[in-house]
Coordinates of all heavy atoms in Angstrom, one line a residue:
M143 N -1.8 -40.3 1.4 CA -2.1 -39.0 0.8 C -3.6 -39.0 0.4 O -4.1 -40.1 -0.2 CB -1.3 -38.8 -0.4 CG -1.5 -37.6 -1.1 SD -0.5 -37.4 -2.7 CE 1.1 -37.7 -2.1
S144 N -4.3 -38.1 0.8 CA -5.8 -38.0 0.5 C -6.0 -37.9 -1.1 O -5.0 -37.4 -1.9 CB -6.3 -36.6 1.1 OG -7.5 -36.3 0.5
E145 N -7.1 -38.5 -1.5 CA -7.3 -38.5 -3.0 C -7.3 -37.1 -3.6 O -6.8 -36.9 -4.7 CB -8.7 -39.1 -3.2 CG -8.7 -40.6 -3.0 CD -10.0 -41.1 -3.5 OE1 -10.9 -40.5 -4.1 OE2 -10.3 -42.3 -3.1
D146 N -7.8 -36.1 -2.9 CA -7.8 -34.8 -3.4 C -6.5 -34.0 -3.4 O -6.2 -33.0 -4.1 CB -8.9 -33.9 -2.7 CG -10.3 -34.5 -3.0 OD1 -10.5 -35.0 -4.1 OD2 -11.1 -34.5 -2.1
L147 N -5.5 -34.5 -2.5 CA -4.3 -33.8 -2.4 C -3.4 -34.0 -3.6 O -2.7 -33.1 -4.0 CB -3.5 -34.3 -1.2 CG -4.0 -34.0 0.2 CD1 -3.1 -34.5 1.2 CD2 -4.1 -32.4 0.3
V148 N -3.6 -35.0 -4.4 CA -2.8 -35.2 -5.7 C -3.2 -34.1 -6.7 O -2.2 -33.7 -7.4 CB -3.0 -36.6 -6.3 CG1 -4.3 -36.7 -6.9 CG2 -1.9 -36.9 -7.4
D149 N -4.3 -33.5 -6.7 CA -4.7 -32.5 -7.4 C -4.0 -31.1 -7.1 O -3.8 -30.3 -7.9 CB -6.2 -32.2 -7.4 CG -7.0 -33.4 -7.9 OD1 -6.5 -34.2 -8.7 OD2 -8.2 -33.6 -7.4
L150 N -3.5 -31.1 -5.9 CA -2.9 -29.9 -5.4 C -1.4 -29.9 -5.5 O -0.7 -28.9 -5.4 CB -3.1 -29.6 -4.0 CG -4.7 -29.6 -3.5 CD1 -4.8 -29.4 -2.0 CD2 -5.2 -28.4 -4.3
I151 N -0.8 -31.1 -5.9 CA 0.7 -31.3 -6.1 C 0.9 -30.6 -7.3 O 0.5 -31.0 -8.4 CB 1.0 -32.7 -5.9 CG1 0.7 -33.4 -4.6 CG2 2.5 -32.9 -6.4 CD1 1.0 -34.8 -4.5
P152 N 1.9 -29.6 -7.3 CA 2.3 -29.1 -8.6 C 3.2 -30.1 -9.4 O 3.9 -31.0 -8.9 CB 3.2 -27.9 -8.2 CG 3.6 -28.2 -6.8 CD 2.6 -29.1 -6.2
T153 N 3.0 -29.9 -10.8 CA 3.7 -30.8 -11.7 C 5.2 -30.3 -11.6 O 5.5 -29.1 -11.8 CB 3.2 -30.7 -13.1 OG1 1.9 -31.2 -13.0 CG2 4.0 -31.5 -14.0
R154 N 6.1 -31.2 -11.3 CA 7.5 -30.9 -11.3 C 8.2 -31.2 -12.5 O 8.4 -32.3 -12.9 CB 8.1 -31.5 -10.1 CG 7.7 -31.0 -8.7 CD 8.4 -31.7 -7.5 NE 9.4 -32.6 -7.8 CZ 9.4 -33.8 -7.4 NH1 8.3 -34.4 -6.8 NH2 10.4 -34.7 -7.6
Q155 N 8.6 -30.1 -13.3 CA 9.3 -30.3 -14.5 C 10.6 -31.2 -14.3 O 10.9 -31.9 -15.3 CB 9.6 -29.0 -15.2 CG 8.3 -28.3 -15.6 CD 8.6 -27.0 -16.4 OE1 9.7 -26.8 -17.0 NE2 7.7 -26.1 -16.4
S156 N 11.3 -31.1 -13.2 CA 12.5 -31.8 -13.0 C 12.1 -33.4 -13.1 O 12.9 -34.1 -13.6 CB 13.2 -31.5 -11.7 OG 12.2 -31.7 -10.6
L157 N 11.0 -33.7 -12.5 CA 10.6 -35.2 -12.4 C 10.2 -35.6 -13.8 O 10.7 -36.6 -14.2 CB 9.4 -35.3 -11.4 CG 8.8 -36.8 -11.5 CD1 9.9 -37.8 -11.0 CD2 7.6 -36.9 -10.6
L158 N 9.6 -34.8 -14.6 CA 9.2 -35.2 -15.9 C 10.4 -35.3 -16.8 O 10.4 -36.2 -17.6 CB 8.2 -34.1 -16.5 CG 6.9 -33.8 -15.8 CD1 6.1 -32.8 -16.6 CD2 6.1 -35.2 -15.7
G159 N 11.4 -34.5 -16.6 CA 12.6 -34.6 -17.4 C 13.4 -35.9 -17.0 O 13.9 -36.5 -17.9
R160 N 13.4 -36.3 -15.7 CA 14.0 -37.6 -15.4 C 13.2 -38.8 -15.9 O 13.9 -39.8 -16.0 CB 14.1 -37.6 -13.9 CG 15.1 -36.6 -13.3 CD 15.4 -36.8 -11.8 NE 14.3 -37.2 -11.0 CZ 13.6 -36.3 -10.2 NH1 13.9 -35.0 -10.3 NH2 12.6 -36.7 -9.5
L161 N 11.9 -38.7 -16.2 CA 11.2 -39.8 -16.6 C 11.6 -40.2 -18.1 O 11.2 -41.2 -18.6 CB 9.7 -39.4 -16.6 CG 9.1 -39.3 -15.1 CD1 7.7 -39.1 -15.2 CD2 9.4 -40.6 -14.3
K162 N 12.4 -39.3 -18.8 CA 12.7 -39.6 -20.1 C 13.7 -40.8 -20.2 O 14.0 -41.4 -21.2 CB 13.2 -38.4 -20.9 CG 12.2 -37.3 -21.0 CD 12.7 -36.1 -21.8 CE 11.6 -35.2 -22.0 NZ 10.6 -35.5 -23.0
R163 N 14.2 -41.1 -19.0 CA 15.2 -42.3 -18.8 C 14.4 -43.4 -18.3 O 13.9 -43.4 -17.2 CB 16.3 -41.9 -17.9 CG 17.2 -40.8 -18.5 CD 18.5 -40.6 -17.6 NE 19.0 -41.9 -17.4 CZ 19.9 -42.1 -16.4 NH1 20.2 -41.1 -15.6 NH2 20.3 -43.3 -16.1
W164 N 14.2 -44.5 -19.1 CA 13.7 -45.7 -18.7 C 14.2 -46.2 -17.5 O 13.5 -46.9 -16.6 CB 13.7 -46.7 -19.8 CG 12.7 -46.5 -20.9 CD1 12.9 -45.7 -22.0 CD2 11.5 -47.1 -21.2 NE1 11.9 -45.8 -22.9 CE2 11.0 -46.7 -22.3 CE3 10.8 -48.1 -20.5 CZ2 9.8 -47.2 -22.9 CZ3 9.6 -48.6 -21.0 CH2 9.1 -48.1 -22.1
D165 N 15.5 -46.2 -17.3 CA 16.3 -46.8 -16.3 C 16.2 -46.1 -14.9 O 16.9 -46.6 -13.9 CB 17.6 -47.3 -16.7 CG 18.5 -46.1 -17.0 OD1 17.9 -45.0 -17.2 OD2 19.7 -46.2 -17.1
D166 N 15.6 -45.0 -14.8 CA 15.5 -44.2 -13.6 C 14.4 -44.7 -12.7 O 13.4 -44.1 -12.6 CB 15.4 -42.7 -13.9 CG 15.6 -41.8 -12.7 OD1 15.5 -42.3 -11.6 OD2 15.9 -40.7 -12.9
Q167 N 14.8 -45.8 -12.1 CA 13.7 -46.5 -11.3 C 13.1 -45.6 -10.2 O 11.9 -45.6 -9.9 CB 14.1 -47.8 -10.8 CG 14.4 -48.8 -11.9 CD 15.0 -50.1 -11.3 OE1 14.9 -50.4 -10.3 NE2 15.4 -51.0 -12.3
E168 N 14.0 -44.8 -9.5 CA 13.5 -44.1 -8.4 C 12.5 -43.0 -8.9 O 11.5 -42.6 -8.2 CB 14.7 -43.3 -7.7 CG 14.3 -42.6 -6.5 CD 15.5 -42.1 -5.7 OE1 16.6 -42.7 -5.7 OE2 15.3 -41.1 -5.0
S169 N 12.8 -42.4 -10.0 CA 11.9 -41.3 -10.5 C 10.5 -42.0 -11.0 O 9.5 -41.3 -10.7 CB 12.5 -40.6 -11.7 OG 13.7 -39.8 -11.3
W170 N 10.6 -43.1 -11.6 CA 9.4 -43.8 -12.1 C 8.6 -44.2 -10.8 O 7.3 -44.1 -10.8 CB 9.7 -45.0 -12.9 CG 9.9 -44.5 -14.4 CD1 11.0 -44.3 -15.0 CD2 8.9 -43.9 -15.2 NE1 10.9 -43.8 -16.2 CE2 9.5 -43.6 -16.3 CE3 7.5 -43.8 -15.1 CZ2 8.8 -43.0 -17.5 CZ3 6.8 -43.3 -16.2 CH2 7.4 -43.1 -17.4
R171 N 9.3 -44.6 -9.7 CA 8.6 -45.0 -8.5 C 7.9 -43.7 -7.9 O 6.7 -43.7 -7.4 CB 9.5 -45.6 -7.5 CG 8.9 -46.2 -6.3 CD 9.8 -46.8 -5.3 NE 10.8 -47.4 -5.8 CZ 12.0 -47.7 -6.3 NH1 12.4 -47.7 -6.3 NH2 12.9 -48.1 -6.8
E172 N 8.6 -42.5 -7.9 CA 8.0 -41.3 -7.4 C 6.8 -40.9 -8.3 O 5.8 -40.6 -7.7 CB 9.2 -40.3 -7.4 CG 8.7 -39.0 -6.9 CD 9.9 -37.9 -7.0 OE1 11.0 -38.2 -7.3 OE2 9.5 -36.8 -6.7
F173 N 7.0 -41.0 -9.6 CA 5.8 -40.7 -10.5 C 4.7 -41.5 -10.1 O 3.5 -41.0 -9.9 CB 6.3 -40.9 -11.9 CG 5.1 -40.9 -12.9 CD1 4.6 -39.6 -13.3 CD2 4.6 -42.0 -13.3 CE1 3.5 -39.7 -14.2 CE2 3.5 -42.1 -14.2 CZ 3.0 -40.9 -14.6
F174 N 4.9 -42.9 -10.0 CA 3.8 -43.8 -9.7 C 3.1 -43.4 -8.3 O 1.9 -43.4 -8.3 CB 4.2 -45.2 -9.7 CG 3.1 -46.2 -9.5 CD1 2.3 -46.6 -10.6 CD2 2.8 -46.7 -8.2 CE1 1.3 -47.5 -10.4 CE2 1.7 -47.6 -8.0 CZ 1.0 -47.9 -9.1
N175 N 3.9 -43.2 -7.4 CA 3.4 -42.9 -6.0 C 2.5 -41.6 -6.0 O 1.6 -41.5 -5.2 CB 4.6 -42.8 -5.0 CG 5.1 -44.1 -4.6 OD1 4.5 -45.1 -4.8 ND2 6.4 -44.2 -4.2
I176 N 2.9 -40.7 -6.8 CA 2.2 -39.4 -6.9 C 0.9 -39.5 -7.8 O -0.1 -39.0 -7.3 CB 3.1 -38.3 -7.6 CG1 4.2 -37.9 -6.6 CG2 2.3 -37.0 -7.8 CD1 5.3 -37.0 -7.2
Y177 N 0.9 -40.2 -9.0 CA -0.1 -40.1 -9.9 C -1.0 -41.3 -9.9 O -2.1 -41.2 -10.6 CB 0.4 -39.8 -11.3 CG 1.1 -38.4 -11.4 CD1 2.4 -38.2 -11.4 CD2 0.2 -37.3 -11.4 CE1 3.0 -36.9 -11.4 CE2 0.7 -36.0 -11.4 CZ 2.1 -35.9 -11.4 OH 2.6 -34.5 -11.5
W178 N -0.8 -42.4 -9.3 CA -1.6 -43.6 -9.6 C -3.1 -43.4 -9.1 O -4.0 -43.9 -9.7 CB -0.9 -44.9 -8.9 CG -1.2 -45.0 -7.4 CD1 -0.4 -44.5 -6.4 CD2 -2.2 -45.6 -6.7 NE1 -0.9 -44.8 -5.2 CE2 -2.0 -45.5 -5.4 CE3 -3.5 -46.2 -7.2 CZ2 -3.0 -46.0 -4.4 CZ3 -4.4 -46.6 -6.2 CH2 -4.1 -46.5 -4.9
K179 N -3.2 -42.6 -8.0 CA -4.5 -42.4 -7.4 C -5.4 -41.5 -8.4 O -6.6 -41.7 -8.5 CB -4.4 -41.7 -6.0 CG -4.0 -42.6 -5.0 CD -4.0 -42.1 -3.6 CE -3.5 -43.0 -2.5 NZ -3.5 -42.5 -1.2
L180 N -4.8 -40.5 -9.0 CA -5.5 -39.8 -10.0 C -6.0 -40.7 -11.1 O -7.2 -40.5 -11.5 CB -4.5 -38.7 -10.6 CG -5.0 -37.7 -11.6 CD1 -6.1 -36.7 -10.9 CD2 -4.0 -36.9 -12.2
I181 N -5.2 -41.5 -11.6 CA -5.6 -42.3 -12.8 C -6.7 -43.4 -12.2 O -7.7 -43.6 -12.9 CB -4.4 -43.2 -13.3 CG1 -3.3 -42.2 -13.8 CG2 -4.9 -44.2 -14.3 CD1 -2.0 -42.9 -14.1
Y182 N -6.5 -43.9 -11.0 CA -7.4 -44.9 -10.5 C -8.8 -44.3 -10.2 O -9.8 -44.8 -10.6 CB -6.8 -45.5 -9.2 CG -7.7 -46.5 -8.5 CD1 -7.7 -47.8 -8.8 CD2 -8.5 -46.0 -7.5 CE1 -8.5 -48.7 -8.1 CE2 -9.5 -46.9 -6.9 CZ -9.4 -48.2 -7.2 OH -10.3 -49.1 -6.6
R183 N -8.7 -43.1 -9.7 CA -10.0 -42.4 -9.4 C -10.7 -42.1 -10.6 O -12.0 -42.3 -10.7 CB -9.6 -41.1 -8.6 CG -10.9 -40.3 -8.1 CD -10.5 -39.2 -7.1 NE -9.7 -38.2 -8.0 CZ -8.9 -37.4 -7.3 NH1 -8.7 -37.4 -6.1 NH2 -8.2 -36.6 -8.1
A184 N -10.1 -41.7 -11.7 CA -10.7 -41.4 -13.0 C -11.3 -42.7 -13.4 O -12.5 -42.6 -14.0 CB -9.7 -40.8 -13.9
A185 N -10.8 -43.8 -13.4 CA -11.2 -45.1 -13.9 C -12.5 -45.4 -13.1 O -13.5 -46.0 -13.7 CB -10.2 -46.1 -13.9
V186 N -12.4 -45.3 -11.8 CA -13.6 -45.8 -11.0 C -14.8 -44.9 -11.2 O -16.0 -45.3 -11.3 CB -13.1 -45.7 -9.5 CG1 -14.4 -45.8 -8.6 CG2 -12.2 -46.9 -9.1
R187 N -14.5 -43.6 -11.4 CA -15.5 -42.6 -11.7 C -16.2 -42.9 -13.0 O -17.4 -42.5 -13.3 CB -15.0 -41.1 -11.7 CG -14.8 -40.7 -10.3 CD -14.3 -39.3 -10.2 NE -14.1 -38.7 -8.9 CZ -13.5 -37.7 -8.5 NH1 -13.0 -36.9 -9.4 NH2 -13.4 -37.4 -7.2
C188 N -15.6 -43.6 -13.9 CA -16.1 -44.0 -15.2 C -16.9 -45.3 -15.1 O -17.3 -45.9 -16.1 CB -15.0 -44.1 -16.2 SG -14.5 -42.5 -16.8
G189 N -17.0 -45.9 -13.8 CA -17.8 -47.0 -13.7 C -17.0 -48.3 -13.6 O -17.6 -49.4 -13.6
L190 N -15.6 -48.2 -13.7 CA -14.9 -49.5 -13.7 C -14.8 -50.1 -12.3 O -14.8 -49.4 -11.3 CB -13.4 -49.2 -14.2 CG -13.5 -49.0 -15.8 CD1 -12.8 -47.6 -16.1 CD2 -12.7 -50.1 -16.4
S191 N -14.6 -51.4 -12.2 CA -14.4 -52.1 -11.0 C -13.0 -51.8 -10.4 O -12.2 -51.3 -11.2 CB -14.6 -53.6 -11.1 OG -13.5 -54.1 -12.0
D192 N -12.8 -52.2 -9.3 CA -11.4 -52.0 -8.7 C -10.3 -52.7 -9.5 O -9.4 -52.1 -9.8 CB -11.4 -52.6 -7.3 CG -10.1 -52.6 -6.6 OD1 -9.5 -51.5 -6.3 OD2 -9.5 -53.8 -6.4
T193 N -10.7 -54.0 -9.9 CA -9.6 -54.7 -10.7 C -9.4 -54.0 -12.0 O -8.3 -53.8 -12.6 CB -10.1 -56.2 -11.0 OG1 -10.2 -56.6 -9.7 CG2 -9.1 -56.9 -11.7
E194 N -10.5 -53.6 -12.8 CA -10.4 -52.9 -14.0 C -9.7 -51.6 -14.0 O -8.8 -51.2 -14.7 CB -11.7 -52.6 -14.5 CG -12.5 -54.0 -15.0 CD -14.0 -53.7 -15.3 OE1 -14.6 -52.8 -14.7 OE2 -14.6 -54.4 -16.2
A195 N -9.9 -50.8 -12.8 CA -9.3 -49.6 -12.5 C -7.7 -49.8 -12.3 O -7.0 -49.0 -12.8 CB -9.9 -48.9 -11.4
Q196 N -7.4 -50.9 -11.6 CA -6.0 -51.2 -11.5 C -5.3 -51.5 -12.7 O -4.1 -51.1 -12.9 CB -5.8 -52.3 -10.4 CG -6.1 -51.9 -8.9 CD -6.0 -53.0 -8.0 OE1 -5.1 -53.9 -8.2 NE2 -6.9 -53.2 -7.0
D197 N -6.0 -52.2 -13.6 CA -5.4 -52.5 -14.9 C -5.3 -51.2 -15.7 O -4.2 -51.1 -16.4 CB -6.4 -53.4 -15.7 CG -6.3 -54.9 -15.2 OD1 -5.5 -55.2 -14.4 OD2 -7.3 -55.6 -15.5
V198 N -6.2 -50.3 -15.6 CA -6.1 -49.0 -16.4 C -4.8 -48.2 -15.8 O -4.1 -47.6 -16.5 CB -7.3 -48.1 -16.3 CG1 -7.1 -46.7 -16.6 CG2 -8.5 -48.7 -17.0
V199 N -4.6 -48.3 -14.5 CA -3.4 -47.5 -13.9 C -2.2 -48.2 -14.6 O -1.3 -47.4 -15.0 CB -3.5 -47.7 -12.4 CG1 -2.1 -47.3 -11.8 CG2 -4.5 -47.0 -11.8
Q200 N -2.1 -49.5 -14.5 CA -0.8 -50.2 -15.1 C -0.7 -49.8 -16.6 O 0.4 -49.4 -16.9 CB -1.0 -51.7 -14.9 CG -0.4 -52.2 -13.7 CD -0.4 -53.7 -13.8 OE1 -1.3 -54.4 -14.2 NE2 0.8 -54.2 -13.3
E201 N -1.7 -49.9 -17.3 CA -1.7 -49.8 -18.8 C -1.4 -48.2 -19.1 O -0.6 -47.9 -20.0 CB -2.9 -50.1 -19.5 CG -3.1 -51.6 -19.4 CD -4.5 -52.2 -19.6 OE1 -5.3 -51.2 -20.1 OE2 -4.7 -53.4 -19.6
T202 N -1.9 -47.3 -18.3 CA -1.7 -45.9 -18.6 C -0.3 -45.6 -18.1 O 0.4 -44.7 -19.0 CB -2.6 -45.0 -17.7 OG1 -4.0 -45.3 -18.1 CG2 -2.4 -43.6 -18.0
V203 N 0.2 -46.1 -17.1 CA 1.7 -45.7 -16.7 C 2.6 -46.4 -17.8 O 3.6 -45.7 -18.2 CB 2.0 -46.3 -15.3 CG1 3.5 -46.3 -15.1 CG2 1.3 -45.5 -14.2
I204 N 2.3 -47.4 -18.4 CA 3.1 -48.1 -19.4 C 3.0 -47.1 -20.7 O 4.0 -46.9 -21.2 CB 2.7 -49.5 -19.8 CG1 3.1 -50.4 -18.6 CG2 3.2 -50.0 -21.1 CD1 2.5 -51.8 -18.7
D205 N 1.8 -46.6 -21.0 CA 1.7 -45.8 -22.1 C 2.5 -44.5 -21.9 O 3.1 -43.9 -22.7 CB 0.2 -45.3 -22.2 CG -0.2 -44.8 -23.6 OD1 0.5 -45.1 -24.5 OD2 -1.3 -44.2 -23.7
V206 N 2.5 -43.9 -20.7 CA 3.2 -42.7 -20.4 C 4.7 -43.0 -20.6 O 5.4 -42.2 -21.2 CB 3.0 -42.3 -18.8 CG1 4.0 -41.2 -18.4 CG2 1.5 -41.7 -18.7
A207 N 5.2 -44.1 -20.0 CA 6.6 -44.4 -20.2 C 7.0 -44.5 -21.7 O 8.0 -44.1 -22.1 CB 6.9 -45.8 -19.5
R208 N 6.2 -45.1 -22.6 CA 6.4 -45.1 -24.0 C 6.5 -43.7 -24.6 O 7.2 -43.6 -25.6 CB 5.4 -46.0 -24.6 CG 5.5 -47.5 -24.4 CD 4.4 -48.3 -25.0 NE 4.6 -49.7 -24.8 CZ 3.6 -50.5 -24.5 NH1 2.4 -50.1 -24.7 NH2 3.9 -51.8 -24.3
K209 N 5.6 -42.9 -24.1 CA 5.5 -41.6 -24.8 C 6.5 -40.5 -24.1 O 6.8 -39.4 -24.7 CB 4.1 -41.0 -24.6 CG 3.1 -41.9 -25.4 CD 1.7 -41.3 -25.2 CE 0.6 -42.2 -25.8 NZ 0.9 -42.5 -27.3
M210 N 7.1 -40.8 -23.0 CA 7.9 -39.8 -22.4 C 9.1 -39.3 -23.1 O 9.5 -38.0 -23.0 CB 8.3 -40.2 -20.9 CG 7.2 -40.0 -20.0 SD 6.4 -38.5 -19.9 CE 7.7 -37.5 -19.2
E211 N 9.8 -40.1 -23.9 CA 10.9 -39.7 -24.6 C 10.7 -38.6 -25.5 O 11.5 -37.7 -25.6 CB 11.4 -41.0 -25.4 CG 12.7 -40.6 -26.1 CD 13.3 -41.7 -26.9 OE1 12.7 -42.9 -26.8 OE2 14.3 -41.5 -27.6
H212 N 9.5 -38.5 -26.1 CA 9.2 -37.5 -27.1 C 8.3 -36.4 -26.5 O 7.8 -35.5 -27.1 CB 8.6 -38.0 -28.3 CG 9.6 -38.9 -28.9 ND1 10.7 -38.6 -29.6 CD2 9.5 -40.3 -29.0 CE1 11.4 -39.6 -30.0 NE2 10.7 -40.7 -29.7
F213 N 7.8 -36.6 -25.2 CA 6.9 -35.6 -24.5 C 7.6 -34.3 -24.2 O 8.7 -34.3 -23.8 CB 6.3 -36.3 -23.3 CG 5.4 -35.4 -22.5 CD1 4.1 -35.2 -22.9 CD2 5.9 -34.7 -21.3 CE1 3.3 -34.4 -22.2 CE2 5.0 -33.9 -20.6 CZ 3.7 -33.7 -21.1
T214 N 6.8 -33.3 -24.6 CA 7.3 -31.9 -24.2 C 6.2 -31.2 -23.3 O 5.1 -31.1 -23.7 CB 7.5 -31.0 -25.5 OG1 8.5 -31.7 -26.2 CG2 8.0 -29.6 -25.1
Y215 N 6.6 -30.9 -22.1 CA 5.7 -30.2 -21.2 C 5.6 -28.8 -21.5 O 6.6 -28.0 -21.5 CB 6.2 -30.5 -19.8 CG 5.3 -29.9 -18.7 CD1 3.9 -30.2 -18.6 CD2 5.8 -29.0 -17.8 CE1 3.1 -29.5 -17.7 CE2 5.0 -28.3 -16.9 CZ 3.6 -28.7 -16.8 OH 2.9 -28.1 -15.8
D216 N 4.4 -28.3 -21.7 CA 4.2 -26.9 -22.1 C 2.8 -26.4 -21.3 O 1.8 -26.7 -21.8 CB 4.1 -26.6 -23.5 CG 3.9 -25.1 -23.8 OD1 3.9 -24.3 -22.8 OD2 4.0 -24.7 -25.0
P217 N 3.1 -25.9 -20.1 CA 1.9 -25.6 -19.3 C 1.0 -24.6 -19.9 O -0.2 -24.5 -19.6 CB 2.4 -25.2 -18.0 CG 3.9 -24.9 -18.2 CD 4.3 -25.7 -19.3
A218 N 1.5 -23.9 -21.0 CA 0.7 -22.8 -21.6 C -0.3 -23.6 -22.6 O -1.4 -23.0 -22.9 CB 1.6 -21.9 -22.5
V219 N 0.0 -24.7 -23.0 CA -0.9 -25.5 -23.8 C -1.8 -26.5 -23.1 O -3.0 -26.5 -23.4 CB 0.0 -26.4 -24.9 CG1 -0.9 -27.3 -25.7 CG2 0.9 -25.5 -25.7
D220 N -1.2 -27.2 -22.1 CA -2.1 -28.1 -21.3 C -1.2 -28.5 -20.1 O -0.1 -28.4 -20.1 CB -2.4 -29.4 -22.1 CG -3.5 -30.2 -21.5 OD1 -4.1 -29.8 -20.5 OD2 -3.6 -31.4 -21.9
S221 N -2.0 -28.9 -19.0 CA -1.3 -29.3 -17.8 C -0.9 -30.8 -18.0 O -1.5 -31.5 -18.9 CB -2.2 -29.2 -16.7 OG -3.3 -30.2 -16.7
F222 N 0.1 -31.1 -17.4 CA 0.6 -32.6 -17.4 C -0.6 -33.5 -16.9 O -0.9 -34.5 -17.5 CB 1.9 -32.9 -16.5 CG 2.2 -34.3 -16.5 CD1 2.9 -34.9 -17.5 CD2 2.0 -35.0 -15.3 CE1 3.1 -36.1 -17.5 CE2 2.3 -36.4 -15.3 CZ 3.0 -36.9 -16.4
K223 N -1.2 -33.1 -15.8 CA -2.3 -33.8 -15.3 C -3.6 -34.0 -16.4 O -4.1 -35.0 -16.4 CB -2.9 -33.3 -14.0 CG -1.9 -33.5 -12.9 CD -2.4 -32.9 -11.6 CE -1.2 -32.7 -10.7 NZ -1.2 -31.5 -9.9
G224 N -3.7 -32.9 -17.1 CA -4.7 -33.0 -18.2 C -4.3 -34.1 -19.2 O -5.2 -34.8 -19.7
W225 N -3.0 -34.0 -19.6 CA -2.6 -35.0 -20.5 C -2.6 -36.4 -20.1 O -3.1 -37.4 -20.8 CB -1.1 -34.6 -20.9 CG -0.4 -35.7 -21.9 CD1 -0.7 -35.8 -23.3 CD2 0.6 -36.6 -21.6 NE1 0.1 -36.7 -23.8 CE2 0.8 -37.2 -22.8 CE3 1.3 -36.9 -20.4 CZ2 1.9 -38.2 -22.9 CZ3 2.3 -38.0 -20.6 CH2 2.6 -38.5 -21.7
L226 N -2.2 -36.5 -18.8 CA -2.3 -37.9 -18.1 C -3.8 -38.4 -18.0 O -4.1 -39.5 -18.3 CB -1.8 -37.8 -16.7 CG -1.7 -39.1 -15.9 CD1 -0.8 -40.0 -16.6 CD2 -1.1 -38.8 -14.5
L227 N -4.8 -37.5 -17.8 CA -6.2 -37.9 -17.7 C -6.7 -38.1 -19.1 O -7.5 -39.0 -19.3 CB -7.0 -36.8 -17.1 CG -6.8 -36.8 -15.6 CD1 -7.5 -35.5 -15.0 CD2 -7.2 -38.1 -14.9
Y228 N -6.1 -37.5 -20.2 CA -6.5 -37.7 -21.6 C -6.1 -39.2 -21.8 O -6.9 -40.0 -22.5 CB -5.9 -36.7 -22.5 CG -5.9 -37.1 -23.9 CD1 -7.0 -37.0 -24.7 CD2 -4.8 -37.6 -24.6 CE1 -7.1 -37.4 -26.1 CE2 -4.8 -38.0 -25.9 CZ -6.0 -37.9 -26.6 OH -6.0 -38.2 -27.9
L229 N -4.8 -39.6 -21.6 CA -4.4 -40.9 -21.8 C -5.2 -42.0 -21.0 O -5.5 -43.0 -21.5 CB -2.9 -41.1 -21.3 CG -1.8 -40.3 -22.2 CD1 -0.4 -40.5 -21.7 CD2 -1.9 -40.6 -23.7
T230 N -5.6 -41.5 -19.8 CA -6.4 -42.5 -19.0 C -7.8 -42.7 -19.7 O -8.2 -43.8 -19.8 CB -6.6 -41.8 -17.5 OG1 -5.4 -41.7 -17.0 CG2 -7.5 -42.8 -16.8
R231 N -8.5 -41.5 -20.2 CA -9.7 -41.8 -20.8 C -9.6 -42.6 -22.2 O -10.5 -43.3 -22.4 CB -10.3 -40.4 -21.1 CG -10.8 -39.6 -19.7 CD -11.6 -38.4 -20.0 NE -10.9 -37.4 -20.8 CZ -10.0 -36.5 -20.2 NH1 -9.9 -36.5 -18.8 NH2 -9.4 -35.6 -20.8
K232 N -8.5 -42.3 -22.9 CA -8.4 -43.2 -24.0 C -8.2 -44.6 -23.7 O -8.8 -45.5 -24.4 CB -7.1 -42.8 -24.8 CG -7.3 -41.5 -25.7 CD -6.1 -41.2 -26.4 CE -5.5 -42.3 -27.2 NZ -4.2 -41.9 -27.9
R233 N -7.5 -44.9 -22.6 CA -7.3 -46.4 -22.2 C -8.7 -46.9 -21.7 O -9.0 -48.1 -22.1 CB -6.4 -46.4 -21.1 CG -6.1 -47.7 -20.4 CD -5.4 -48.6 -21.4 NE -4.2 -48.1 -22.0 CZ -3.7 -48.6 -23.1 NH1 -4.2 -49.8 -23.7 NH2 -2.6 -48.2 -23.7
I234 N -9.5 -46.1 -21.0 CA -10.8 -46.6 -20.6 C -11.7 -46.9 -21.8 O -12.4 -47.9 -21.8 CB -11.4 -45.7 -19.6 CG1 -10.6 -45.5 -18.3 CG2 -12.9 -46.0 -19.3 CD1 -10.9 -44.4 -17.4
A235 N -11.7 -46.0 -22.8 CA -12.5 -46.1 -23.9 C -12.1 -47.2 -24.9 O -12.9 -47.8 -25.6 CB -12.6 -44.8 -24.6
G236 N -10.7 -47.4 -24.8 CA -10.2 -48.3 -25.9 C -10.3 -49.8 -25.6 O -10.3 -50.7 -26.3

């Protein structure tokens, strides 16, 4: 998948709902396959090395997993990708 194509993939509320279950490995794998490049690209654009960017991907996905149980998706307030990039920037800065 091209780096820019992830930006065009619509956020699927059904996938986000399934991520509320820690044990739904298939949904988490699907989430990772869709969004890891977005996180990685943001980290590299902030000047991180490949290894550092990979660490940010791992840590951000773990952060998402911890927050998903109480996460409410409201596209009128913010996009899911916006929230994901916010978590990514916090991880990079932190």
Side-chain angles (χ1 to χ4, degrees):
M143 180 180 309
S144 164
E145 283 185 18
D146 296 323
L147 288 181
V148 74
D149 296 330
L150 301 176
I151 295 172
T153 299
R154 293 188 357 248
Q155 291 186 24
S156 61
L157 175 60
L158 297 182
R160 291 191 315 267
L161 295 180
K162 292 186 181 288
R163 294 190 47 202
W164 281 82
D165 62 345
D166 190 340
Q167 293 179 8
E168 185 173 330
S169 293
W170 279 104
R171 188 174 337 58
E172 182 179 354
F173 168 80
F174 185 84
N175 288 337
I176 292 170
Y177 291 106
W178 80 268
K179 287 183 183 180
L180 180 69
I181 300 166
Y182 179 87
R183 187 174 59 206
V186 168
R187 286 182 177 166
C188 286
L190 287 124
S191 70
D192 174 65
T193 302
E194 293 167 326
Q196 289 179 33
D197 287 345
V198 167
V199 170
Q200 269 191 313
E201 293 166 5
T202 301
V203 170
I204 290 168
D205 200 21
V206 169
R208 288 182 177 141
K209 295 179 184 308
M210 281 310 291
E211 182 180 355
H212 302 290
F213 176 77
T214 302
Y215 177 59
D216 185 352
V219 175
D220 192 10
S221 70
F222 176 75
K223 290 176 194 139
W225 179 71
L226 185 59
L227 289 172
Y228 167 76
L229 294 177
T230 302
R231 287 189 298 273
K232 277 183 53 179
R233 178 63 52 196
I234 291 167

